[in-house]
Amino acid sequence: MIGKYHLRVRSKVCDFSLTLDRKYTLIQGDSGTGKSIFTDLVKQYSRYGADSGIELTCEISVVSLISDTGTWDTDTWKEKLNRYRDAIFVIDAFDPCIREYEAEFSELAENSQAYFIILSRKTFSALSYDTDSIYEFVSVANADRGKQAYTVKLMKVYRDKMKNKFENIPHKK
Amino acid sequence: MLHLYIGESEKALRAPNNWFMNAFPREYLETPLAREIVQGIDKSVLESRNAVLSPYLGRVGIDKLSTGVRQTLIACFTDKVVDLVHCGDNCLTYIKKRSVDKDIYVTTTRYVNLFSKKDTVSVPVIIDNNGKIVNSFWEYDDEFDKFGGGL
């Protein structure tokens, strides 16, 4: 799978619109920016589809690694990773695949053709991503009442904020 | 004092979100410090033990508090160990401030800068891996290199 994919997830309150141009998209950043809300929306959509009331638009399928009953089991996530070839997988910081089974997950992910959105601050040494793949969420309030209250977009951490990061490190005496 | 263990630790809570909802003593949510933490991180007003007024979601239950706020509240008010991988950089100020009058134990599985110049609060940190007390960024960075090379 190559190329750009646009993903939009909308609920009554939030409107997430993401453009993915690489295999891995890591979303980090401060607490309270909407990472858990985003994964929660995708999980709900993954389980109940359009009946969940969530509007999810993307050229290819967007999948969370939970099982159909909403729980986690080792066979399901491995089976899902193998089954979906052209898909975007959304993985949360608390998902066992990146906590207990990181090595197995890394191997399967590297061999997979799918795209991955990983919402964790951890460093994944076995995945081939670079600094351009690391983003954080920025939210913009909408004044228009007919629209969702907030639109959330991605911002590159190491292009837009690199200068500030270096400024935060004190000089060695 | 702030105790930091670098690397994976079995003492850290595995499911802090669930622990917060099921076992966190709710009376702490009525303290000024809890209100300050929720205001500072989530930009929300903690109205009572159960309700939060959020600019994003309106009036909601405390189950809608962010993961970072929950971790910070657990670290600041109980003796449980939390992993800083689930706390954003905006949570560290509150944890550091609280560590002046309480022993706080945290672990980390990500690179975290506890001596950022942006932060006005600077407190000594005990590295629990070897018991060393660090007071500045460069001492801290050396210790982090030793124990958290891959992070």
Side-chain angles (χ1 to χ4, degrees):
Chain A
M1 224 167 88
I2 50 166
K4 269 192 184 182
Y5 292 92
H6 301 279
L7 163 64
R8 196 161 183 201
V9 184
R10 284 202 286 179
S11 77
K12 198 78 188 159
V13 183
C14 302
D15 181 352
F16 291 88
S17 72
L18 286 68
T19 304
L20 315 176
D21 53 1
R22 282 158 192 269
K23 180 169 177 175
Y24 298 107
T25 303
L26 277 89
I27 303 175
Q28 302 182 348
D30 283 347
S31 292
T33 48
K35 295 186 292 293
S36 305
I37 291 178
F38 175 74
T39 45
D40 192 39
L41 291 179
V42 175
K43 274 180 190 168
Q44 287 180 47
Y45 189 86
S46 224
R47 192 173 168 198
Y48 300 111
D51 282 352
S52 60
I54 295 155
E55 266 181 63
L56 190 146
T57 41
C58 187
E59 296 95 321
I60 49 176
S61 39
V62 180
V63 189
S64 165
L65 291 178
I66 50 166
S67 70
D68 293 336
T69 49
T71 54
W72 268 97
D73 60 75
T74 323
D75 297 335
T76 312
W77 70 260
K78 280 186 191 164
E79 192 259 325
K80 271 193 172 178
L81 269 180
N82 289 324
R83 178 161 32 116
Y84 289 95
R85 293 198 139 261
D86 296 337
I88 297 170
F89 289 106
V90 178
I91 293 150
D92 184 40
F94 286 104
D95 287 355
C97 62
I98 56 169
R99 299 187 80 197
E100 282 101 351
Y101 307 102
E102 199 192 318
E104 279 171 277
F105 169 76
S106 305
E107 200 185 324
L108 283 169
E110 284 293 290
N111 293 327
S112 166
Q113 291 197 354
Y115 275 29
F116 293 85
I117 303 176
I118 303 173
L119 296 99
S120 171
R121 298 187 188 89
K122 239 175 152 178
T123 307
F124 298 95
S125 44
L127 299 182
S128 53
Y129 64 95
D130 64 21
T131 50
D132 268 357
S133 317
I134 302 173
Y135 293 85
E136 65 181 31
F137 277 142
V138 279
S139 45
V140 187
N142 289 334
D144 187 353
R145 285 197 154 202
K147 284 188 179 173
Q148 278 75 10
Y150 284 86
T151 308
V152 188
K153 288 187 171 154
L154 288 177
M155 182 176 82
K156 272 187 187 169
V157 172
Y158 292 102
R159 184 168 293 171
D160 310 327
K161 280 182 72 184
M162 198 60 164
K163 208 169 146 255
N164 298 339
K165 286 255 167 183
F166 279 122
E167 277 170 4
N168 287 331
I169 297 173
H171 296 292
K172 199 165 193 173
K173 282 169 193 164
Chain B
M1 283 288 256
L2 181 56
H3 296 252
L4 174 74
Y5 182 87
I6 302 164
E8 296 259 0
S9 166
E10 286 190 355
K11 286 180 190 163
L13 282 177
R14 278 186 68 243
N17 279 343
N18 304 43
W19 196 88
F20 178 81
M21 289 312 296
N22 299 324
F24 184 77
R26 298 282 168 97
E27 58 267 23
Y28 292 130
L29 296 176
E30 286 171 354
T31 57
L33 178 64
R35 269 185 233 123
E36 190 192 332
I37 290 169
V38 175
Q39 179 73 54
I41 301 169
D42 273 4
K43 320 272 183 294
S44 306
V45 183
L46 191 55
E47 291 188 325
S48 69
R49 288 183 181 201
N50 302 311
V52 182
L53 184 63
S54 157
Y56 294 82
L57 308 166
R59 186 167 280 111
V60 288
I62 55 164
D63 58 321
K64 293 279 191 255
L65 286 174
S66 70
T67 312
V69 166
R70 295 181 198 202
Q71 301 264 349
T72 313
L73 289 171
I74 293 171
C76 290
F77 291 107
T78 69
D79 52 1
K80 293 283 168 195
V81 182
V82 297
D83 191 339
L84 291 182
V85 77
H86 303 302
C87 292
D89 291 345
N90 52 349
C91 302
L92 302 177
T93 319
Y94 301 98
I95 293 177
K96 284 196 281 183
K97 258 192 213 166
R98 180 70 174 145
S99 74
V100 175
D101 43 42
K102 180 183 175 292
D103 275 331
I104 293 185
Y105 293 86
V106 292
T107 67
T108 185
T109 46
R110 70 165 176 123
Y111 181 78
V112 51
N113 184 359
L114 287 173
F115 291 91
S116 168
K117 248 168 97 182
K118 227 180 359 183
D119 236 335
T120 46
V121 190
S122 182
V123 293
V125 178
I126 301 180
I127 307 294
D128 269 354
N129 304 58
N130 58 1
K132 202 174 167 186
I133 300 176
V134 291
N135 288 295
S136 72
F137 173 78
W138 292 107
E139 281 177 63
Y140 170 73
D141 203 46
D142 286 345
E143 296 303 317
F144 213 102
D145 269 355
K146 263 187 237 165
F147 300 109
L151 301 180

